[in-house]
Amino acid sequence: QCLLSGSWRSDSGCRMVVYTLGEDGRFSGSYLPGPATGDSEILTLPLEGSQQDAGLVPQPTFSFTVHWHSETAQTTVFLGQCYVGTNGEEILHVLWLQREATNSPAEDWKATR
């Protein structure tokens, strides 16, 4: 069974820590962007998310949101699944979308990465 709580590191050096996974699947934690962001001034950011009931499936899906500091006006949403590999190691496969605030609908095309 894959347990999401704990500390995780991505291939690009980003770090996520899930502090507590509630019985309802909700969790909170922290996110620290890695070297891929190119911004050494960014501090650890809070995250909030939820995981599918691990009692129903051994490799649950999950999602979480990171709200960046107010001066950047960005939100990133992560969606993925927690797998147990052949050697028993837990692996997260995740996709993300990042949204920046824009000043008008005409700028909407460039707001999501």
Side-chain angles (χ1 to χ4, degrees):
Q1 178 177 337
C2 197
L3 299 174
L4 194 58
S5 58
S7 182
W8 300 89
R9 181 180 299 271
S10 74
D11 293 340
S12 63
C14 299
R15 286 178 283 166
M16 173 182 81
V17 177
V18 175
Y19 301 129
T20 308
L21 184 60
E23 288 183 26
D24 63 354
R26 295 182 189 272
F27 61 86
S28 62
S30 62
Y31 180 79
L32 180 64
T37 64
D39 188 348
S40 61
E41 299 295 317
I42 294 179
L43 303 175
T44 301
L45 303 164
L47 64 84
E48 297 287 331
S50 64
Q51 175 183 302
Q52 183 181 18
D53 186 345
L56 297 176
V57 293
Q59 301 182 121
T61 60
F62 64 90
S63 64
F64 66 91
T65 303
V66 173
H67 296 284
W68 298 79
H69 299 295
S70 59
E71 61 271 3
T72 61
Q74 297 177 0
T75 299
T76 305
V77 179
F78 297 80
L79 177 66
Q81 188 166 359
C82 188
Y83 292 100
V84 177
T86 56
N87 296 332
E89 76 279 9
E90 296 171 325
I91 303 165
L92 302 183
H93 284 242
V94 181
L95 297 173
W96 58 270
L97 287 173
Q98 185 171 32
R99 176 70 186 206
E100 294 183 43
T102 62
N103 294 323
S104 72
E107 297 175 334
D108 188 66
W109 65 271
K110 65 180 183 176
T112 302
R113 301 192 300 161

